Amino acid sequence: VNTILRELNNVFGMRVVAVALGGGQDGRIVAMRIKNHNIVGIGRGALSLIRREPAGFRYRLAHEFGHLAVGDPRRDDWLWAVYIITTLFLLIAYGSSLVNVFSVLTELGKAGGWSEVEKALFGWMRFGLVANLVLFGSILLALALERSSAARLREFYADAVATQAVGPVEHVFASA
């Protein structure tokens, strides 16, 4: 592992250290940034790849170096915070619209009784309620899809960087 790390540190021009993760079944290899240190966590189960598929192991390490080289771990933390805050604001906005609806329904109930509330809910107010639900639901769905798409693009980029650094490798993902 140390030889491969030294080689990849030279190729990428950075200093990355490796740490062991999990138990014997943990086959993950993941990039992390802790404070100012670039770290590749290697699951104990992935260590058997060094002998079984050395080129595949090297490629997977290079893939994680690719993530570290462009700052993916730190960027992912920031993006996660942005997604959470955006989702929170959308839920607050939807909740606010529901509070307004219930406020109007309460006033209708006071003025005309349950029959007026029923007319509003199943009549003129129904479209607005459904439209708000569809609007906010669509925005949340688009946000989730965008996050997934951005993550996939980062993976494709890391694959391209790994291929440039160590060359293409067959059967890398069979044991990933």
Side-chain angles (χ1 to χ4, degrees):
V1 174
N2 288 334
T3 305
I4 297 170
L5 278 175
R6 273 193 300 275
E7 175 195 340
L8 291 175
N9 278 329
N10 288 334
V11 168
F12 283 91
M14 50 194 303
R15 170 107 169 92
V16 177
V17 296
V19 296
L21 297 175
Q25 300 301 316
D26 191 348
R28 296 177 298 157
I29 300 177
V30 296
M32 301 177 258
R33 186 154 172 88
I34 300 174
K35 294 191 180 183
N36 291 325
H37 304 286
N38 290 319
I39 299 169
V40 173
I42 303 171
R44 294 184 201 295
L47 292 173
S48 64
L49 289 174
I50 296 170
R51 288 201 177 106
R52 199 174 64 231
E53 293 180 48
F57 182 79
R58 193 167 162 254
Y59 181 91
R60 288 181 63 194
L61 277 181
H63 172 96
E64 298 307 324
F65 268 76
H67 285 301
L68 291 168
V70 297
D72 279 351
R74 181 155 290 149
R75 183 178 296 124
D76 200 41
D77 290 343
W78 279 102
L79 285 174
W80 184 246
V82 168
Y83 289 125
I84 292 292
I85 290 168
T86 303
T87 301
L88 182 65
F89 279 127
L90 283 170
L91 291 174
I92 289 169
Y94 185 64
S96 175
S97 70
L98 287 179
V99 166
N100 289 337
V101 165
F102 291 125
S103 173
V104 167
L105 289 175
T106 302
E107 293 303 316
L108 280 173
K110 287 179 187 173
W114 177 249
S115 64
E116 289 300 316
V117 171
E118 251 182 334
K119 284 182 200 172
L121 270 177
F122 301 111
W124 58 271
M125 198 177 270
R126 180 176 48 191
F127 176 77
L129 288 170
V130 171
N132 270 325
L133 180 63
V134 169
L135 171 69
F136 286 106
S138 298
I139 293 171
L140 287 171
L141 178 63
L143 194 63
L145 291 173
E146 190 280 332
R147 176 165 168 66
S148 175
S149 174
R152 194 68 231 138
L153 285 173
R154 286 193 302 275
E155 291 302 317
F156 286 139
Y157 176 79
D159 287 343
V161 168
T163 300
Q164 283 183 336
V166 300
V169 180
E170 292 183 33
H171 310 297
V172 171
F173 300 105
S175 57

